Amino acid sequence: MSRPETNAPLLEIADFSVTLHTPTVSVRPVDRVSYSVGAGEVLAIVGESGSGKTILNMAPLDLLPAGVDSDLEGAVRFQGRDLLRMTTGQLESVRGGEIGVVFQDPLSALNPVRKVGRQLTEGIERHLGLTPAQAQARAAELLTLVGLPDPQSRMQQYPHELSGGMRQRVGVAMGIAGEPKLLIADEPTTALDVTVQAQIVALLKDLQKRMSMAIVIITHDFGVVSGLADKVAVMYAGRLSELGGVREVLLDPAHPYTRGLLASVPSLSAPLDTPFEGLPGQPPNLARRIDGCAFAPRCSLARPDCSRDRPPLLSVPRSALGHLAACPVTVNQTV
Ligand SMILES: Nc1ncnc2c1ncn2[C@@H]1O[C@H](COP(=O)(O)OP(=O)(O)OP(=O)(O)O)[C@@H](O)[C@H]1O
Ligand SMILES: [Mg+2]
């Protein structure tokens, strides 16, 4: 007999917006975003620098940059409970426990004046209820899993004594230490060389299968997307421009922005002198209100009405269920 909650998504983001207030300006880096992630499912979030990927994922966990005031609207439900309505104490027990986090900047996750081992074992003791000796053994095991050689001596070191790549691997170990149901991984492989990148991706895939861990991974690397993800969300100027299964979005992109983003990925098979096709123009200023499609000023297919009304996410015809794009021009063309 199936239980009703097994049908509910693990994570459900509904009409979620974030406004950040600095002393001089207010910006809206997340603007009415909705999607869901099922248990054991992997969602990749892609988009240019500054499109709001980090803020979208960190704001609900109360992990925004220090000294920035914020307004959060909408709902972010994890196992049916809205993270935006939790007390600080409730959020603290979810973070590092059922939701693991790998930070884009591993230094921000690590306390500079405490040894690496202690930082790892603390979380393990707290969230898995292990004794200090068991936690110590588990921490060494985790560091081995993420490919850090000689874990016993690494655990005696301070974060600044490790290289950037080593710190990033410690960051991944900390993210998975509590055996989370959901791992939020913000560019977990960017500072690593390709071999280690492949190891980390394989590790995440293995954990996802063995523990049925869901993953939201922010990445600029389409190799990571196709190797790991089930679904992709494409962000542009704080909004979702396209969402769907990996195959549909990568092989049959519907939004002009996704097409541009994919065209800007250098192809291994292209001759070496092929010019690099970047996206022309700049992303918009998020401090200004954007009425129509945020991509319209850079879009070769834009029509005058694109700058008037914000396009809704529409089902892409003749594609798989759940493939959505916020572009009436291309979506209607394919009918
Ligand atoms: N500390 C801050 N103070 C003010 N505004 C900020 C701050 N951090 C981010 N923002 C605003 O939020 C927007 C989104 O930032 P975010 O870090 O989420 O982008 P991102 O998509 O993760 O980029 P990247 O790929 O470079 O990591 C930025 O363009 C900026 O306008
Ligand atoms: Mg980021």
Side-chain angles (χ1 to χ4, degrees):
M1 202 179 78
S2 71
R3 291 181 300 161
E5 62 263 36
T6 51
N7 294 328
L10 182 72
L11 177 73
E12 192 180 15
I13 298 200
D15 226 11
F16 178 51
S17 300
V18 180
T19 311
L20 300 180
H21 307 283
T22 67
T24 50
V25 75
S26 289
V27 291
R28 198 173 168 84
V30 181
D31 191 5
R32 289 171 32 215
V33 168
S34 303
Y35 59 80
S36 63
V37 181
E41 195 169 47
V42 183
L43 170 77
I45 303 184
V46 299
E48 276 167 302
S49 185
S51 58
K53 306 178 297 294
T54 296
I55 302 285
L56 164 66
N57 284 280
M58 298 303 154
L61 297 169
D62 201 16
L63 294 171
L64 285 173
V68 180
D69 272 345
S70 61
D71 281 324
L72 312 187
E73 296 159 73
V76 178
R77 287 182 280 270
F78 175 68
Q79 301 186 120
R81 294 166 70 207
D82 192 349
L83 297 176
L84 307 188
R85 279 159 191 78
M86 283 189 184
T87 62
T88 311
Q90 287 169 329
L91 256 187
E92 268 169 13
S93 72
V94 171
R95 251 187 351 233
E98 289 177 303
I99 303 183
V101 181
V102 180
F103 293 87
Q104 181 165 8
D105 168 16
L107 269 186
S108 69
L110 293 165
N111 185 333
V113 296
R114 307 199 63 194
K115 287 181 181 164
V116 164
R118 193 66 201 111
Q119 299 193 49
L120 255 174
T121 52
E122 222 164 46
I124 298 174
E125 284 170 35
R126 180 149 48 111
H127 292 290
L128 299 182
L130 299 183
T131 64
Q134 288 169 328
Q136 183 84 11
R138 178 70 185 140
E141 199 177 290
L142 279 167
L143 291 177
T144 308
L145 265 179
V146 296
L148 204 68
D150 197 7
Q152 294 297 350
S153 40
R154 297 293 171 215
M155 280 164 59
Q156 297 306 317
Q157 290 181 307
Y158 291 94
H160 73 268
E161 297 177 284
L162 305 180
S163 72
M166 284 180 189
R167 282 198 291 260
Q168 199 164 27
R169 283 185 258 180
V170 172
V172 174
M174 286 181 71
I176 59 177
E179 296 179 6
K181 289 195 173 123
L182 171 67
L183 180 72
I184 309 274
D186 193 351
E187 305 198 24
T189 61
T190 16
L192 303 174
D193 65 56
V194 267
T195 351
V196 182
Q197 260 186 38
Q199 280 168 16
I200 300 278
V201 169
L203 168 71
L204 292 179
K205 208 171 187 166
D206 178 58
L207 288 168
Q208 179 260 332
K209 287 221 177 77
R210 256 186 322 117
M211 310 189 330
S212 194
M213 177 176 81
I215 306 175
V216 173
I217 184 166
I218 301 171
T219 180
H220 285 271
D221 184 336
F222 283 100
V224 172
V225 176
S226 59
L228 193 64
D230 303 302
K231 296 198 296 200
V232 195
V234 184
M235 264 191 104
Y236 185 77
R239 303 171 179 180
L240 283 194
S241 52
E242 186 155 359
L243 179 68
V246 170
R247 282 185 65 80
E248 288 74 38
V249 176
L250 296 193
L251 299 178
D252 188 18
H255 196 286
Y257 175 62
T258 317
R259 292 177 186 171
L261 199 62
L262 286 168
S264 67
V265 178
S267 158
L268 274 182
S269 55
L272 283 177
D273 56 355
T274 308
F276 177 73
E277 255 191 89
L279 276 164
Q282 292 294 321
N285 179 352
L286 299 178
R288 297 222 185 95
R289 195 181 124 147
I290 304 165
D291 287 321
C293 170
F295 187 61
R298 299 171 80 183
C299 181
S300 59
L301 303 176
R303 303 183 306 210
D305 57 337
C306 291
S307 300
R308 209 172 44 224
D309 304 313
R310 172 169 168 175
L313 279 167
L314 301 169
S315 282
V316 179
R318 291 206 303 265
S319 189
L321 200 70
H323 185 187
L324 309 171
C327 178
V329 177
T330 54
V331 168
N332 287 338
Q333 261 180 4
T334 54
V335 176

